[in-house]
Amino acid sequence: MNKFLALGVAALAAVALAGCSISGGDLIRPGQPTATLIIINGSYGYLDAIVISDCDNFTYGFNRLSDGDSIAPGDARSFTLSAGCWDVGGGEFGGGEAYERMTLSAGSVTRFTITD
């Protein structure tokens, strides 16, 4: 059991040293220009999870919606991100999901529609 704990601690330390984040990282990096990402719910269900992470990160990270929050069908949610490469995904509990890698230019507005 201690061997597995040690391996887990070592893996987390490696992630931290590599500059990666389990959470997906900060959406806005200090001193960098920003862009707007609009996630549109084009599905028939409520989107319960939106994940956004820097393309260099090893994971999509945690849900960017607050606990109990969701995006209703036909509604949208805006996120301000630093310009650059992002892995973006979203979905509904027990339903469809979509993921895409995108590059956001400084000052741009990008729309990403998640459908069933």
Side-chain angles (χ1 to χ4, degrees):
M1 185 66 149
N2 288 336
K3 182 177 181 180
F4 292 113
L5 180 61
L7 287 173
V9 169
L12 286 175
V15 166
L17 290 174
C20 296
S21 167
I22 293 173
S23 70
D26 294 332
L27 298 181
I28 300 174
R29 296 179 289 270
Q32 292 189 3
T34 60
T36 301
L37 173 63
I38 300 172
I39 306 285
I40 302 164
N41 184 354
S43 75
Y44 295 103
Y46 283 76
L47 295 178
D48 302 306
I50 300 296
V51 290
I52 304 171
S53 68
D54 187 287
C55 290
D56 292 335
N57 213 352
F58 76 100
T59 179
Y60 276 101
F62 299 132
N63 188 359
R64 301 293 181 161
L65 298 176
S66 303
D67 285 341
D69 193 11
S70 62
I71 304 173
D75 283 351
R77 187 70 49 86
S78 294
F79 295 89
T80 300
L81 311 171
S82 287
C85 184
W86 294 94
D87 288 323
V88 179
E92 52 187 281
F93 183 73
E97 56 188 42
Y99 298 91
E100 186 170 323
R101 177 165 280 190
M102 57 186 67
T103 300
L104 305 177
S105 301
S108 68
V109 176
T110 302
R111 290 167 179 77
F112 177 49
T113 302
I114 297 175
T115 60
D116 286 329

